[in-house]
Amino acid sequence: MILRTWAFLFWAVLTLANPLKRAKTGLYGKRGSSQKDYAVTSLPGLFDNFAEDDIPLMFAGQLKLFEENNTHYFFWKFEDKHKFPQAENKTIFWLNGGPGCLSMDGALMESGPIRINDDHKVTYNEGSWHKQGNIVFVDQPANTGFSYSNGFDEELDQVSWHFMRFMDRYFALFPEDAHHEIILAGESYAGQYIPYIARVLLARNKRAEQDLPKYNLTALLIGNGWISPNEQGLSYVPYAVQAGMISEHHPHWKELLDAHNQCREVVDRTNNDDLVQAYKVVSRVCDEVLSKLLFYTRDTFAAKDQECFNMYDYTLKDNYPSCGMNWPPDLANVNPFLRSEEVMADLNLEVQRLWHECSGSVGSHLKAKNSYPSIKFFPDLLLEVEIVLFHGNRDIICNYIGGEAMIKKLEWGGQRGFTEGLTVFDWTHDGTVHGYIKSERNLTFVNVFEASHMVPFDQPEVSRGLLDIVYKRFELVEKDGKKPELATMPVGYTKEDGSKTDGTEGSHTLTRPTISLDTSPVELPHTSRIIRLIQLAVIIILIWGICALYATYKSKPASIIKTKPSSGRKKNVQWADQLEDEPAPQGSFISKAFSKFKRPDTRYEPVGNDIEMGENVSGSGNDEFIISSDDEENRT
Ligand SMILES: *[C@@H]1O[C@H](CO)[C@@H](O)[C@H](O)[C@H]1NC(C)=O
């Protein structure tokens, strides 16, 4: 390990020592050094499906970072032709997670202006973030998506240094943007990348003697981020209980709790021992809690593609063991789109790569064994930049309960957690409540209702309002007897007096729209409850019948054939592939039927107290689930 660290340092010094000299020998890719070499002027369907004014200025291509190991990063930049004032002088970099999942997910299914339809043509996303600033999607680290290299990154420090090199190359190509306010945005495992990059960027800004550009980083905007594995690993069971996925009456509750308590032991060890080796950016033991949760809550009587909770949105189902890996459905169109020769040519690719959403080898190299989880850097980062953390409330894997828990433990600005009794605002966008928000000492937490792991996928227009929160373009409304609100409005919203909310008036200037709000929780009318109960009864009887029939065919349930999940864990941390020997669950189908029809309201109240989970229900004597992980064994 030490040898490897030295080898890396040696290499890093060699490659980073004299960037300016290197710059003379071909700064860019083979394509050249002029912006027009990177212009994207056509895409399938662009001129048919986009209004002329909606077509953004686009640039894309593979920028050369390092000659010696042939590292090139792919980027795709979108700039609004008719900028709103608030979009001036801003550049948003968007990074997807993985590790190893390309940021074209972001461009084509989330915050970017493009969606791909069933004909594999582009259509316009009305909620695109490019209306709030230039937005640049970057496939990184190396060998993610259309980015390529002879080498792989193994530690998060490498990832951040390489991203700095990318920024230098990018702003050398677009020098007119180099003074922009920079927002680093992204999702999931980018909750590691982004703080790491911010840390290197801020440190570099301070080293005045260096002949390197400085960048005006103003905010980090992280969606369903994987930031603090400790609290997030311990959030799965509380979240599942709160979401109604499982309860203490479940036949496998005890096993799940055992897994949870084993995760707690891993967490406790890091609390006692602050060495980097004690931390796990991805702990297999804690990942097991999620694996088991998905395993035990399967509905084996459902159709094959409805068996498992979708780990990115608990209101959806998927087959087992995919449990969300086949989601979102748009992937079916994005896949052939990015693999088409025509599109690759349109995107100015010089080295064409068969497009994969997630690269397994990037993830398997980026073990981050000597990297602290990024939460470690938050106290220092918060002294210099605003951090906005948002969570789609339907996401299981990086759920909002874990997000709130890590803030509660975090010490920054001279205090631990948010102040007791801090005002929680309803977040209204365009007059409708879409979440709640807490903000203090440069840290803002937003829970976004009715949204999954990929918030801009479910709520494009609303998600764009998150940038108004970053830019402080909102109005605080406190009315008697009502919850206080933080109100944002769609871009280009016209106030009652006719003036546009173009950001020129500064912050907190929006006028409340005259839309009546109904923020009370949705109550089911009694009649529909009765109908639901009758439906439920009929369905239970039906299922009973089917099961009886099934039982006559087979004396015992079919064994579960565990196909190994595809190597690249999508959007998030690696999959612990340790379920092979687990027994088929023997849960009663009635409880399954109940759990299937239990669809709690997906709007949660802020979490007040920790959920009681009856810890210490059992010892650790659960031999079925001995976890053998070299990661964990290495600990002393
Ligand atoms: C918040 O950030 C500003 C700089 O943007 C800094 O001056 C201030 O000290 C920070 N506040 C806290 C509590 O860290």
Side-chain angles (χ1 to χ4, degrees):
M1 184 50 67
I2 287 167
L3 190 72
R4 201 193 288 165
T5 310
W6 277 112
F8 169 65
L9 277 176
F10 185 59
W11 169 83
V13 166
L14 276 184
T15 54
L16 296 173
N18 199 341
L20 293 179
K21 179 166 159 252
R22 195 165 302 284
K24 288 195 195 94
T25 61
L27 187 56
Y28 304 95
K30 296 184 201 93
R31 187 157 286 278
S33 59
S34 123
Q35 283 179 20
K36 71 176 189 312
D37 296 327
Y38 295 86
V40 177
T41 51
S42 74
L43 285 168
L46 186 65
F47 298 104
D48 298 331
N49 301 340
F50 275 62
E52 172 70 30
D53 274 354
D54 289 340
I55 297 177
L57 298 170
M58 293 184 278
F59 300 88
Q62 292 154 317
L63 286 182
K64 179 159 75 186
L65 268 58
F66 303 107
E67 179 85 53
E68 54 283 358
N69 62 0
N70 197 29
T71 301
H72 289 68
Y73 273 15
F74 175 75
F75 76 97
W76 193 348
K77 172 192 183 182
F78 299 91
E79 179 171 352
D80 197 11
K81 257 190 277 189
H82 311 284
K83 277 201 185 113
F84 290 107
Q86 74 264 20
E88 297 283 357
N89 301 319
K90 303 223 175 51
T91 290
I92 305 158
F93 288 102
W94 173 278
L95 308 176
N96 276 94
C101 297
L102 81 179
S103 296
M104 295 313 111
D105 269 15
L108 304 176
M109 295 188 281
E110 299 187 81
S111 45
I114 289 178
R115 295 284 186 267
I116 311 300
N117 69 12
D118 292 342
D119 302 328
H120 308 154
K121 303 261 189 334
V122 297
T123 61
Y124 184 53
N125 164 27
E126 295 282 350
S128 172
W129 291 19
H130 81 296
K131 293 278 173 192
Q132 296 265 36
N134 297 352
I135 185 161
V136 188
F137 298 86
V138 188
D139 280 348
Q140 64 88 51
N143 292 315
T144 300
F146 291 134
S147 295
Y148 59 95
S149 172
N150 298 340
F152 285 91
D153 287 348
E154 296 179 357
E155 297 291 339
L156 289 162
D157 274 337
Q158 283 173 294
V159 173
S160 51
W161 293 348
H162 295 167
F163 194 79
M164 289 309 297
R165 172 62 74 107
F166 167 78
M167 283 177 72
D168 291 342
R169 291 291 184 263
Y170 174 84
F171 286 118
L173 186 60
F174 300 99
E176 66 276 20
D177 294 353
H179 68 284
H180 278 190
E181 286 177 30
I182 289 167
I183 295 118
L184 293 174
E187 158 186 296
S188 198
Y189 197 85
Q192 295 295 322
Y193 300 146
I194 290 170
Y196 264 86
I197 294 166
R199 184 165 160 259
V200 169
L201 190 155
L202 293 170
R204 206 178 87 165
N205 278 353
K206 285 187 198 123
R207 288 203 298 271
E209 76 278 9
Q210 272 199 327
D211 200 6
L212 290 169
K214 299 184 194 319
Y215 301 116
N216 180 17
L217 179 68
T218 56
L220 315 183
L221 178 58
I222 301 173
N224 293 74
W226 185 249
I227 295 166
S228 184
N230 281 357
E231 288 78 36
Q232 293 185 268
L234 289 172
S235 73
Y236 294 130
V237 177
Y239 181 84
V241 170
Q242 174 126 354
M245 291 167 61
I246 197 167
S247 79
E248 63 201 278
H249 305 300
H250 191 280
H252 290 280
W253 174 251
K254 182 183 160 301
E255 287 97 317
L256 188 63
L257 216 54
D258 281 348
H260 176 86
N261 287 332
Q262 288 184 33
C263 171
R264 181 176 295 279
E265 281 172 30
V266 171
V267 169
D268 285 346
R269 259 177 278 171
T270 68
N271 288 339
N272 299 332
D273 179 3
D274 198 39
L275 294 175
V276 68
Q277 289 81 7
Y279 286 93
K280 293 282 165 278
V281 172
V282 177
S283 161
R284 288 219 200 164
V285 173
C286 292
D287 218 19
E288 272 293 287
V289 184
L290 177 58
S291 303
K292 289 196 167 126
L293 173 68
L294 295 172
F295 182 75
Y296 292 137
T297 54
R298 282 169 320 146
D299 182 352
T300 43
F301 297 102
K304 204 81 201 111
D305 63 347
Q306 297 287 306
E307 223 179 279
C308 187
F309 280 105
N310 179 331
M311 67 185 120
Y312 306 113
D313 183 338
Y314 85 94
T315 65
L316 302 175
K317 295 278 186 145
D318 193 359
N319 71 43
Y320 187 87
S322 284
C323 305
M325 308 277 269
N326 297 323
W327 177 90
D330 298 42
L331 274 176
N333 295 335
V334 168
N335 203 325
F337 177 81
L338 285 176
R339 287 184 178 186
S340 104
E341 294 274 339
E342 181 190 351
V343 170
M344 285 194 270
D346 288 340
L347 295 177
N348 305 314
L349 297 194
E350 284 166 329
V351 174
Q352 301 199 343
R353 286 163 57 92
L354 186 61
W355 182 81
H356 289 288
E357 189 197 15
C358 296
S359 155
S361 49
V362 172
S364 61
H365 281 86
L366 187 64
K367 290 229 167 67
K369 280 199 172 193
N370 298 301
S371 303
Y372 280 108
S374 63
I375 188 75
K376 184 98 177 159
F377 310 124
F378 271 52
D380 287 339
L381 292 174
L382 286 161
L383 292 171
E384 296 182 69
V385 292
E386 294 270 343
I387 302 182
V388 176
L389 304 178
F390 63 97
H391 282 262
N393 72 341
R394 290 173 172 172
D395 183 23
I396 304 170
I397 191 163
C398 299
N399 63 67
Y400 76 95
I401 289 184
E404 298 229 37
M406 75 193 175
I407 293 175
K408 208 167 174 178
K409 264 204 88 186
L410 183 68
E411 226 176 304
W412 84 103
Q415 207 182 311
R416 185 184 286 265
F418 285 132
T419 301
E420 196 80 28
L422 176 74
T423 306
V424 180
F425 290 88
D426 272 342
W427 173 30
T428 65
H429 185 73
D430 204 5
T432 309
V433 179
H434 286 287
Y436 63 81
I437 181 166
K438 305 174 188 182
S439 186
E440 198 181 29
R441 312 193 312 276
N442 298 342
L443 181 61
T444 300
F445 175 89
V446 190
N447 188 347
V448 186
F449 296 155
E450 276 144 31
S452 69
H453 189 71
M454 300 166 87
V455 173
F457 170 79
D458 304 288
Q459 303 274 2
E461 163 61 40
V462 172
S463 77
R464 186 165 57 193
L466 290 164
L467 286 157
D468 292 310
I469 293 171
V470 170
Y471 300 160
K472 298 195 165 47
R473 299 179 68 250
F474 51 73
E475 187 182 339
L476 299 179
V477 189
E478 305 202 38
K479 286 197 211 117
D480 290 343
K482 274 202 150 193
K483 267 176 108 177
E485 285 168 25
L486 184 151
T488 57
M489 294 303 292
V491 291
Y493 165 74
T494 308
K495 282 202 272 189
E496 280 136 49
D497 63 6
S499 63
K500 292 217 170 186
T501 60
D502 56 9
T504 48
E505 319 93 313
S507 56
H508 303 224
T509 52
L510 300 183
T511 312
R512 281 292 306 128
T514 49
I515 299 167
S516 70
L517 286 177
D518 181 14
T519 61
S520 54
V522 185
E523 274 286 326
L524 282 175
H526 275 287
T527 48
S528 90
R529 264 193 200 157
I530 289 163
I531 289 169
R532 282 196 142 204
L533 275 176
I534 293 167
Q535 285 174 339
L536 194 65
V538 169
I539 286 158
I540 289 168
I541 290 164
L542 267 174
I543 291 172
W544 196 303
I546 291 163
C547 292
L549 223 95
Y550 182 76
T552 64
Y553 280 100
K554 291 201 172 189
S555 56
K556 60 172 187 166
S559 68
I560 286 129
I561 298 156
K562 170 77 165 53
T563 54
K564 204 170 177 240
S566 58
S567 53
R569 177 77 167 276
K570 203 164 65 181
K571 277 120 210 149
N572 207 291
V573 296
Q574 266 101 53
W575 187 263
D577 45 0
Q578 299 164 333
L579 289 172
E580 278 84 353
D581 300 327
E582 294 198 2
Q586 309 288 313
S588 94
F589 52 82
I590 291 187
S591 72
K592 280 177 194 305
F594 271 109
S595 75
K596 184 168 166 56
F597 287 95
K598 188 169 180 194
R599 273 280 164 271
D601 194 314
T602 61
R603 298 184 168 194
Y604 303 131
E605 286 304 300
V607 195
N609 304 309
D610 290 338
I611 291 170
E612 289 296 330
M613 295 197 317
E615 280 157 29
N616 313 321
V617 158
S618 67
S620 55
N622 190 355
D623 294 344
E624 279 167 357
F625 303 120
I626 290 172
I627 286 139
S628 62
S629 154
D630 46 5
D631 280 5
E632 312 299 339
E633 276 162 15
N634 287 344
R635 194 197 324 286
T636 48

